[in-house]
Structure formats: C-alpha cells, structure tokens
Amino acid sequence: MNNFTSVSDVDNIPGLIQQVLEIKKTSASTSFGKSKTLGLVFFNPSLRTRLSTEKAAKNLGMDVIVMNIDADAWNIEFADGAVMDGNTQEHITDAVRVISGYCDLLGVRTFAGLEDQQEDYQEQVLNKFVSHSSVPVISLESATRHPLQSLADMATIAESSIKTPKVVLSWAPHPKKLPQAVANSFLEWIVHIDAEITLAHPEGYELSPIFTKGVTINHNQEKAFVGADFVYAKNWSSFTHYGQTPPVQDNWTITEEKMNHTNKGRFMHCLPIRRNVVATDEVIDHSLVYNQAKNREYAAQAVLQNLLEAL
Amino acid sequence: MNNFTSVSDVDNIPGLIQQVLEIKKTSASTSFGKSKTLGLVFFNPSLRTRLSTEKAAKNLGMDVIVMNIDADAWNIEFADGAVMDGNTQEHITDAVRVISGYCDLLGVRTFAGLEDQQEDYQEQVLNKFVSHSSVPVISLESATRHPLQSLADMATIAESSIKTPKVVLSWAPHPKKLPQAVANSFLEWIVHIDAEITLAHPEGYELSPIFTKGVTINHNQEKAFVGADFVYAKNWSSFTHYGQTPPVQDNWTITEEKMNHTNKGRFMHCLPIRRNVVATDEVIDHSLVYNQAKNREYAAQAVLQNLLEAL
Amino acid sequence: MNNFTSVSDVDNIPGLIQQVLEIKKTSASTSFGKSKTLGLVFFNPSLRTRLSTEKAAKNLGMDVIVMNIDADAWNIEFADGAVMDGNTQEHITDAVRVISGYCDLLGVRTFAGLEDQQEDYQEQVLNKFVSHSSVPVISLESATRHPLQSLADMATIAESSIKTPKVVLSWAPHPKKLPQAVANSFLEWIVHIDAEITLAHPEGYELSPIFTKGVTINHNQEKAFVGADFVYAKNWSSFTHYGQTPPVQDNWTITEEKMNHTNKGRFMHCLPIRRNVVATDEVIDHSLVYNQAKNREYAAQAVLQNLLEAL
C-alpha cells in the first residue's frame, strides 16, 4: 500500500479488515513507528478523525503534527499557473512539498464544496497532495470518499461474524446539505466483503452510478429494512442536482418501529448524528455507533502500520 | 480517587498536598503513564491550565490530545431528547462517549454562564462528562469549582510551613463579571487544612452558603488583613443577584499599604491578574503568584498519577 | 549560546552552519532532549516555522507545547505600569514568567506592526520574552529578524561548496506590505560567511543602514544579477517611509530571462511565495526553495541542541 485514498489502494481488503480486528484484540502499543512523524492537514474541522488517527499514531509510537489550515495558517492557491496577486498566500504545490518534507506520512482532510459536481469528483485537493507529496498520503475524508470510516465500518460488520449479512445503507434526514462521501465509500468497500447490500433512499437522492453499480436500490425504506442484519444510516445531498436537497414526502427518520422490520438488525452511523432527526434516541442508544467510533482507532492504526511497512 | 472534580473526590487531602510537594522536590520525570492518553477538552480557552496539565502528563510519559471545542469542531447539544434539527451538531452524550473511548483519562474545562444560577450550580457540562465518560474525569475548572487551582494553592500555603496560618480570601475589583469558581473551591479546600480562614468582600458579594459555612466573613478589607499570613485575592460576581456586579463604595484594590497591616503576609492570586486593578505592581512583584502557577504543574501531576494508579 | 534571537547570539557562526549540515547528513534522531519541553508561542500564524521547529524538537526527543495567542487564549498587555481595566487580560511579564516556568526552552514568533518604525525596531515583544523568561529564548521570527531562516539559508548556500559565491539579495513585488525581517537577517548573517553580497532593490526600498553597512547596493536588477551564483528574492516595505509601498516603475518579478544573466545562479526564497508575482513558475520549479525549507528543520535542531547543551 503506497497511499490510502480509496479502497483501490488496498491489495488485500479482507486481510486489512482482519488486521484491524487483530489490533483491537491485542490492543498493544508498539514502538514500530518510533521516530516517524505523521502530519495531519485539516482543511475542515474534525473530531473523531483527528482523535482516532492521533491515538492510532501514538499507539505506534509516532510523533504527530497537526495543521488546521484556516486557523493555523493561510489561504491556499489551487490553480496551476495562477498569478498570485490576490488573497491566496501559498500554492498547494509548494505547501504540500514543504509539509511532506517534514513528515514520514501525511494525512489530509477536505470536504466537497457541493457547488460543482465535476470539481468535487475530480478530488482536486486530495490529488494535489498525492501528486506533490514526497511521502504516502492518507485520506482523512475527501470530497467523495471516507475510506478510514469505511474500513472501521467493515471491521464493525465483520466483528458480528454473521455469514453474508444483509446490510441496508439508508438515506436519512438532516437539516443541512451534506456530501456523499461516506455513502460512496461505504458502497465501494462493502462490495468487497461477504455481504448482501441494499441501498435505500428517496427518489432524487441517487448516488453516482460509479458507486451504485450492481447495488440493489429500494425507494421504500420499510421494505428495504425487512430481514436486515445491519442498517447503516447517512444523509447526503443530491448527486444529480448536485448539492441540492429536493423535498422528501415520507418520513425517513429511523425509528424503533422501523427497526422492528429487520432481523434484529444493528443500527450503524458514522457520527456525529443529529438525534431524533436521523434516528431516534432509542435507536441510537441500542446501536453500534460507539463501537464504530472506537474501531476508527484500530482502522487508522492498521493503515498507518501498512504504510510504514511499505516505506 | 475515581474522578477529580471537587475536594470531595479526594480521600486523603493532606496526603495529596504532601504528594504535590514531594513531586516538586524530586521533579523527576517517570514513565509511569507510558502508553496512556490524556484527552483535554476545552469549552473555554486556557493558558496555565492547559500548559501545566500537558506538562504534568508529559512528566509522567503520557500522550496528550487537546480539543478546543469552538475552534476545532462543533456545536454541542446538551438537552436530553432534543430534536437536533437546528445548529447543534452532536449530542454531549455521544461526544463524551466517543472521546473517552480514545483516552485513558479525560480533562474538561467549562465556565459558568453567569446567567442562570441553578443551571451553573448544577454543573451540567461537568456532570454529563462524569456520567458518560468511560474513563476518569478531571475538572480543569468548571462552573462552580477549580480544584486543580485549589490543590496548587494549598500546596503553596503548605510550603511556607507556618503552623495554622491566618489566610484571608479577599474580593478585589475587576472590569468584567467573573465566575465564583476559584473562590468557592479555595474555601472548600482550605477548611481541610490547618489554617484560619477569613473571607473579606463588599456587601452584595456573598458567596453561596454551601461554601461559606463556618467561614468568618468581614466586610472591611483592612481589618480583615490584620495579622494575615496570606492574602488570596480574587474577583467574583454576585451569587445572590446572580452574575451581577453591584457597585462597591470602597477601593478594594490590594496595595502595599494594605499589605502592611498583615503579618508580613504573602500575596496570592491564581492568574491571569489585571495589574493595578486587582492589586498594584508592587504587591504582585513581591508575591507568590509565579510559585502558585508552577505548583499547578505538580498538582496536576499528583492528580494524574493517583487516577492512573486507580485505573 | 544563551538565547537565539540574532546572529549576535552565536559565538561560532561557520561552526553552527557546519553543524546544521552534519545533522542533515546523519539525520539521526537522538534522545538528547528527552524530558525537556519546548514551548512555542505564536503571536502570528506560522506553517514552516512551527512544523520545522516541532520536527527538530521531536528529532531530539523533546516534548513540544504550542500556544497560539489569539486562538488559544488572551489579549496581552505590553505597557509597564498599565492600569489593566480595559481589554488586556494578562501582562506580558506575568505571561512570560508563567509560560517559561513550564518549559526548558521557549520560542516566540511576532511580526512587525509596520506602523511605527521605532516600536518595531526596539523589538518590544521579543525583548520582553528575553527579559522575563527563566529559560533560553529562541526567535521564531521577530519584528526585524528571522534568524532560523537565515541559518537555514546560510546552510543551503554552504551546501553548494562554491568558494566565495556571488549572492544577490533582490527585492521582488508582492501585493501586500511586508516586514523587513527576512532581508535584514539574511544580510547580517551573510557578512559572516565567505560570500560576495549585492543588494538589489528599487529606489525607495532602502533597508536600515544598520543592516546594509558594507553591502553593495544596485538599483538595476538585471545588472545586479550578472555573474550571480545565488539569487535570493524577497519583498519588503519601505524602511524610510516606514511600512509604505512606494510605486515601482520597472518589473522586478524574477523570470528565467533575468536568471539567464547569472552564472547558472540558483534561485532562493524563504516561502511562502506568490507564484508569478515574486518569481515565475519556471524559476521556482528549478530552485532551492524546498531545500531551504527542509534545512529549516536541521537549523532548528542545531540551535535547540546548542541551547540544551548550555542549560
């Protein structure tokens, strides 16, 4: 593994998931990463991702340096050939080359702008990091994917030891317009594990066909839930009418009543979650969400270890 | 000790104070906390508290992860059962459960709002942390108490080796309205050590009777100072007319002239101090304030060590 | 070396430069600074300086504590004797005494205000740190100097092994008004190494005579470039009409065409650089700028090591 930006960077996906669970079982700190530095660049704020990745790095004995772009520093220019006589202070090329020079591994978080589909789906920021970094790059969520979350999610499902579990990824309401990254990423990972995946969402909330190819889609949430072993909830805005939030007739909030249609299905969500909007308190309080969050640490540790081994 | 949120969490108060002074004497770094992580959550900014606690943790070989709520992340919902379709992004329950999952000890700082007495004195934020954290919680100052400061203050007084010192806690002027936390906490600690405590404040600035029970109160600052071995200055707003700052006739700024009434009394303050408002330059420049600040490090180290031992 | 605030603090300048290059060659991490804490105080944001200094400290096994003054904390009072009943919360005297009490070495970054020449050139903030700190102080750039940058620059020039290189420090355009610190500092360092220095700038952009004494000055950029081995570009605002940016007739942007006048001269800049304003993409892409940035780490490591040795 030379970078970790999507499932495509992983050679042995089931192997990596097993490694996550083994790290969790032993939970031993090592000095494998001693004298190695992980740089974490945040273009957008982060709680779980920063904490879990910092913790994972420290479990490996690594040093961690955090940069919050807006708070700590400066406006970045992304356009090649730009005449920088305006507000941007440093070109992404220079910033990445300099930062990566001080690190052994480099993580970066950036969000979709949700204004221009092509721009977001070209993953401009992430790809600039990959192009210009002199060290391996880890996505801490990008415009279209969140692979560390997905790896933790796969490990959470694998922990259940249910053979070919029925998994529903369900759209759920949210007061703000959100990126498609978590949903996209979940889909592109789950097709690689032994599971049966159904995508449930209202009409108008179709995801990019690149991610839904071969996935069963159901516009009726309750029907989709029948027999499910796992219900993964997530809001996203429209891909087709990019970044829009077309009105939804039915109530897609996930309730205990709806969960009763499942096969004692376990509720999952990447957090943070809007309680009583995405799902009710009862659903969240009997869910796997904290387990998922804790697995973020082990997922990050497995990824860091693989990248360090490949240095 | 399972948490450190007030003096009530401490079994052996004089023992803990002695431990602080022994850590100071040996000032040796240990690896007692190796591979343990201290999470520090700041709802309000901090200088001394963050630095001294980080330093203490590193003296013990711990890793430290800092979260500044406003700067780093997100708006927190505190109401149980809230329908989170507004501006709050994550419920305190979920935030605390997730954060504590990545840590071995968890510190939290929060201030009084000074709008609603009952709300502040119920210690909503701190108590949510204690309820939902899976690891021991350390108060880095809360709405009504500042126990790490008080422990450092007790150690500073104990260092003098004066038998039954006469200690005056004196209100002093300040341009802003401030919480009662430092004063409350000082009182609830000092009654446990060998000292004679007098509380001096203008009428209208009575503290909660919970903290002043059995404490001599004097509305005349100069008279209160007579024979004092220590003068501890602090501003606070009204408890009765909650958060108000009723006008004060006399000048309560602490001057050398006033200090001359004491028994070569030493001046104390928790810092930061408004010079020439709370006390004059001369008073501050011949005071114990830097010693108190330095003792914050050893106080934090003693508390962390006790909590680690009890894990 | 007791502090590192300007070239005057260094006893053996060529020796220090050689030490930087030896650290780079061996690039070994040590535990020389184990259990020592470096405090870094930023009055102004920083990328390269923070990262390179943190990395250097960690190479030495030191702990690092970062304070961003505006973000993390509070308004500082600088005036002695001030009656602090306004917006300032803590006096610089108290802040520095307290912070330095938690550290073994203390770095501070502050910028010129560019309003009042005398105020900036008196280095009020830096000097308060030096006066009140109980531990050695390192300038991470101050109002009038940037010695860690200059040390890295000298090491970058020394790496070339050109005997008595011809070095041009050239003013270049920039959309904002900038301090003179990097240029001042470069000049006061380079006169101590085996090099021939020319200063090129438009009329009106004279630097302080303290820094230009004995330096050849040329107002014609192209002529200055003839035969140069190194061209160091930097913008600065007027020293005489302090902080002003008088209009410049000629185009001082550094282009490949201009670089062709040099003796295969290498382009240098401290970064961040406004591309196609200070210099064109072609010039920057074939330059020493990333090498300079990387040498910042080794420069900081050499300085930290010297200060630790002198403790």
Side-chain angles (χ1 to χ4, degrees):
Chain A
M1 195 155 58
N2 297 318
N3 291 296
F4 184 77
T5 63
S6 84
V7 75
S8 317
D9 289 320
V10 185
D11 294 326
N12 178 354
I13 296 158
L16 183 60
I17 295 167
Q18 279 314 308
Q19 201 181 342
V20 173
L21 295 177
E22 270 153 41
I23 288 169
K24 183 174 189 173
K25 222 177 295 167
T26 62
S27 91
S29 293
T30 76
S31 58
F32 186 77
K34 202 171 170 302
S35 304
K36 300 291 181 191
T37 300
L38 173 64
L40 299 177
V41 177
F42 292 96
F43 285 86
N44 297 89
S46 161
L47 171 67
R48 252 154 295 276
T49 296
R50 181 167 71 79
L51 294 187
S52 60
T53 311
E54 267 194 80
K55 185 62 169 14
K58 287 174 176 178
N59 288 348
L60 290 164
M62 298 184 79
D63 292 317
V64 179
I65 297 178
V66 176
M67 288 141 280
N68 295 311
I69 292 296
D70 278 345
D72 281 351
W74 54 160
N75 293 317
I76 297 288
E77 174 65 55
F78 288 100
D80 287 327
V83 177
M84 293 171 58
D85 55 2
N87 282 323
T88 57
Q89 295 163 264
E90 180 149 34
H91 200 278
I92 185 72
T93 307
D94 298 327
V96 175
R97 285 199 61 171
V98 168
I99 295 170
S100 65
Y102 301 135
C103 303
D104 299 286
L105 300 177
L106 186 56
V108 58
R109 159 167 288 207
T110 177
F111 282 172
L114 294 180
E115 299 291 334
D116 180 331
Q117 187 195 82
Q118 213 185 339
E119 197 180 294
D120 286 344
Y121 275 70
Q122 282 174 351
E123 292 283 9
Q124 191 185 29
V125 178
L126 179 63
N127 287 336
K128 291 275 185 189
F129 269 74
V130 171
S131 304
H132 296 295
S133 173
S134 54
V135 301
V137 171
I138 301 156
S139 165
L140 308 169
E141 184 167 354
S142 68
T144 68
R145 289 174 175 89
H146 195 350
L148 282 173
Q149 180 66 52
S150 300
L151 175 56
D153 294 339
M154 297 306 118
T156 306
I157 292 171
E159 271 181 313
S160 74
S161 305
I162 299 175
K163 218 184 129 51
T164 321
K166 187 164 185 293
V167 180
V168 178
L169 170 59
S170 175
W171 185 91
H174 196 282
K176 303 223 162 152
K177 66 174 188 174
L178 296 188
Q180 294 116 26
V182 170
N184 288 343
S185 212
F186 187 82
L187 291 176
E188 78 172 359
W189 280 77
I190 203 157
V191 298
H192 290 283
I193 73 165
D194 173 34
E196 194 182 304
I197 175 74
T198 298
L199 175 61
H201 61 72
E203 291 191 57
Y205 285 88
E206 290 71 26
L207 292 167
S208 160
I210 290 172
F211 294 97
T212 56
K213 205 167 52 182
V215 172
T216 306
I217 297 174
N218 198 330
H219 295 318
N220 183 311
Q221 192 183 36
E222 294 196 21
K223 285 192 184 156
F225 278 26
V226 174
D229 297 296
F230 297 93
V231 171
Y232 196 105
K234 186 73 191 80
N235 176 271
W236 58 86
S237 57
S238 172
F239 173 76
T240 321
H241 299 280
Y242 196 66
Q244 307 281 300
T245 53
V248 173
Q249 300 285 19
D250 301 324
N251 183 352
W252 282 69
T253 299
I254 294 169
T255 61
E256 273 209 310
E257 204 190 356
K258 291 180 187 172
M259 290 299 289
N260 286 339
H261 296 293
T262 66
N263 179 27
K264 296 180 184 167
R266 310 299 306 270
F267 178 79
M268 298 177 71
H269 189 276
C270 60
L271 303 183
I273 190 165
R274 300 280 186 138
R275 283 177 168 255
N276 304 307
V277 176
V278 170
T280 61
D281 285 333
E282 297 74 34
V283 170
I284 298 166
D285 291 341
H286 299 93
S287 73
L288 294 172
V289 296
Y290 305 121
N291 204 25
Q292 285 173 268
K294 184 65 182 162
N295 287 341
R296 291 290 308 273
E297 175 184 336
Y298 307 118
Q301 193 171 335
V303 167
L304 293 174
Q305 195 167 319
N306 277 283
L307 291 171
L308 286 172
E309 277 166 4
L311 282 184
Chain B
M1 193 155 60
N2 297 318
N3 291 295
F4 183 77
T5 64
S6 84
V7 75
S8 318
D9 289 320
V10 184
D11 295 325
N12 179 354
I13 296 159
L16 182 60
I17 295 167
Q18 279 314 307
Q19 200 181 341
V20 173
L21 295 177
E22 271 153 42
I23 288 169
K24 183 174 188 172
K25 223 179 293 166
T26 62
S27 91
S29 294
T30 77
S31 57
F32 186 78
K34 203 171 169 305
S35 305
K36 300 291 183 194
T37 300
L38 172 65
L40 299 177
V41 178
F42 292 96
F43 285 86
N44 297 90
S46 160
L47 171 66
R48 252 153 298 275
T49 296
R50 181 167 71 81
L51 294 187
S52 61
T53 311
E54 267 195 79
K55 184 63 171 13
K58 288 175 176 179
N59 289 347
L60 289 164
M62 298 185 80
D63 292 317
V64 179
I65 297 179
V66 175
M67 287 141 280
N68 294 310
I69 293 297
D70 278 345
D72 281 351
W74 53 159
N75 293 317
I76 297 287
E77 175 65 55
F78 288 101
D80 287 328
V83 178
M84 293 171 59
D85 55 3
N87 281 323
T88 57
Q89 296 162 262
E90 180 148 33
H91 198 279
I92 185 73
T93 308
D94 298 326
V96 174
R97 285 200 59 172
V98 168
I99 296 170
S100 65
Y102 301 135
C103 303
D104 299 285
L105 300 176
L106 186 57
V108 58
R109 158 165 290 206
T110 176
F111 282 172
L114 295 180
E115 298 291 335
D116 180 331
Q117 186 195 82
Q118 214 185 336
E119 196 179 296
D120 286 344
Y121 275 71
Q122 282 173 349
E123 292 282 10
Q124 191 186 29
V125 178
L126 179 63
N127 286 337
K128 291 275 185 188
F129 268 75
V130 172
S131 304
H132 297 295
S133 173
S134 53
V135 300
V137 170
I138 302 156
S139 164
L140 307 170
E141 185 167 351
S142 68
T144 68
R145 289 174 175 89
H146 195 350
L148 282 174
Q149 180 66 52
S150 300
L151 176 55
D153 294 339
M154 297 306 120
T156 307
I157 291 171
E159 270 180 312
S160 75
S161 305
I162 299 173
K163 217 184 129 53
T164 321
K166 187 164 186 293
V167 180
V168 179
L169 170 59
S170 174
W171 185 91
H174 196 283
K176 302 222 162 154
K177 65 175 189 175
L178 296 188
Q180 294 116 26
V182 169
N184 287 343
S185 211
F186 186 82
L187 292 176
E188 79 171 359
W189 280 77
I190 202 156
V191 298
H192 291 282
I193 73 165
D194 173 34
E196 194 182 302
I197 176 73
T198 298
L199 175 60
H201 61 72
E203 291 191 56
Y205 285 88
E206 291 70 27
L207 292 167
S208 159
I210 291 171
F211 295 96
T212 57
K213 203 168 52 182
V215 172
T216 307
I217 296 174
N218 198 329
H219 296 318
N220 184 311
Q221 192 183 37
E222 295 197 21
K223 285 191 184 156
F225 278 26
V226 173
D229 297 296
F230 296 93
V231 171
Y232 196 105
K234 187 73 191 80
N235 175 271
W236 58 85
S237 57
S238 173
F239 172 77
T240 320
H241 300 279
Y242 195 66
Q244 306 281 299
T245 52
V248 174
Q249 300 285 17
D250 300 324
N251 182 351
W252 281 69
T253 299
I254 294 169
T255 62
E256 273 209 308
E257 206 190 355
K258 291 178 185 172
M259 290 300 288
N260 286 339
H261 297 292
T262 68
N263 179 28
K264 295 179 185 168
R266 310 299 305 271
F267 178 80
M268 296 176 73
H269 189 276
C270 61
L271 302 184
I273 191 164
R274 301 278 187 142
R275 283 178 167 254
N276 303 308
V277 176
V278 170
T280 61
D281 284 332
E282 297 74 34
V283 170
I284 298 166
D285 292 340
H286 299 92
S287 74
L288 294 173
V289 296
Y290 305 121
N291 204 26
Q292 285 172 267
K294 184 65 182 161
N295 286 341
R296 291 289 308 274
E297 175 185 335
Y298 307 118
Q301 193 171 335
V303 168
L304 293 175
Q305 196 168 318
N306 277 283
L307 291 171
L308 286 172
E309 278 166 4
L311 282 184
Chain C
M1 194 153 61
N2 297 318
N3 291 295
F4 183 77
T5 64
S6 84
V7 75
S8 317
D9 289 320
V10 184
D11 294 325
N12 178 354
I13 297 159
L16 183 60
I17 296 167
Q18 279 313 307
Q19 200 181 340
V20 173
L21 295 177
E22 271 154 39
I23 288 169
K24 183 174 187 171
K25 223 178 293 167
T26 62
S27 90
S29 294
T30 77
S31 57
F32 187 78
K34 203 171 170 305
S35 305
K36 300 292 182 192
T37 300
L38 172 65
L40 299 177
V41 178
F42 291 96
F43 285 86
N44 298 89
S46 161
L47 170 68
R48 251 154 297 274
T49 295
R50 181 167 72 80
L51 294 187
S52 60
T53 311
E54 266 194 81
K55 185 62 169 15
K58 288 176 175 178
N59 289 347
L60 289 164
M62 299 184 79
D63 292 318
V64 179
I65 297 177
V66 176
M67 288 141 279
N68 295 311
I69 293 296
D70 278 345
D72 281 351
W74 54 161
N75 294 317
I76 297 288
E77 175 64 56
F78 288 100
D80 287 328
V83 177
M84 292 171 58
D85 55 3
N87 281 322
T88 57
Q89 295 164 262
E90 181 148 34
H91 199 279
I92 184 73
T93 307
D94 298 326
V96 175
R97 285 201 59 173
V98 168
I99 296 170
S100 65
Y102 301 134
C103 303
D104 299 285
L105 300 177
L106 186 56
V108 57
R109 157 165 291 204
T110 176
F111 282 172
L114 295 180
E115 299 292 334
D116 180 331
Q117 186 194 85
Q118 216 186 334
E119 198 179 295
D120 286 344
Y121 275 72
Q122 282 173 351
E123 292 282 9
Q124 191 187 28
V125 179
L126 179 63
N127 287 336
K128 290 275 185 188
F129 269 74
V130 171
S131 303
H132 297 295
S133 173
S134 54
V135 300
V137 171
I138 301 157
S139 165
L140 307 170
E141 184 166 352
S142 68
T144 69
R145 288 174 176 88
H146 196 350
L148 282 174
Q149 180 65 52
S150 300
L151 176 55
D153 294 338
M154 297 305 119
T156 306
I157 292 172
E159 270 181 312
S160 75
S161 304
I162 299 174
K163 217 183 131 52
T164 323
K166 188 165 185 290
V167 180
V168 178
L169 170 59
S170 176
W171 186 92
H174 195 284
K176 303 222 162 153
K177 65 176 188 174
L178 296 188
Q180 294 115 27
V182 169
N184 288 343
S185 211
F186 187 82
L187 291 176
E188 79 172 358
W189 280 77
I190 202 157
V191 298
H192 291 282
I193 72 166
D194 174 34
E196 194 182 302
I197 176 73
T198 298
L199 174 60
H201 62 71
E203 291 191 58
Y205 285 89
E206 289 71 27
L207 292 166
S208 159
I210 290 170
F211 294 96
T212 56
K213 204 168 52 181
V215 172
T216 306
I217 295 174
N218 197 330
H219 295 318
N220 183 312
Q221 193 184 36
E222 294 198 20
K223 284 191 185 159
F225 277 27
V226 174
D229 297 297
F230 297 92
V231 171
Y232 196 105
K234 186 74 190 78
N235 176 272
W236 58 85
S237 57
S238 173
F239 173 76
T240 320
H241 300 280
Y242 195 66
Q244 307 280 301
T245 52
V248 173
Q249 300 286 18
D250 300 324
N251 182 351
W252 282 69
T253 299
I254 295 169
T255 60
E256 272 208 309
E257 204 189 355
K258 289 178 186 173
M259 290 300 288
N260 287 338
H261 296 294
T262 67
N263 178 28
K264 296 179 185 168
R266 310 298 305 271
F267 178 80
M268 297 177 73
H269 189 276
C270 60
L271 303 183
I273 190 165
R274 301 280 187 138
R275 283 178 168 253
N276 303 308
V277 176
V278 170
T280 61
D281 284 333
E282 296 75 33
V283 169
I284 298 166
D285 292 340
H286 299 92
S287 74
L288 293 172
V289 295
Y290 306 120
N291 204 26
Q292 286 173 268
K294 183 66 182 160
N295 286 341
R296 290 290 309 274
E297 174 184 336
Y298 308 118
Q301 193 171 335
V303 167
L304 293 174
Q305 195 167 320
N306 276 283
L307 291 171
L308 286 172
E309 277 165 5
L311 282 184

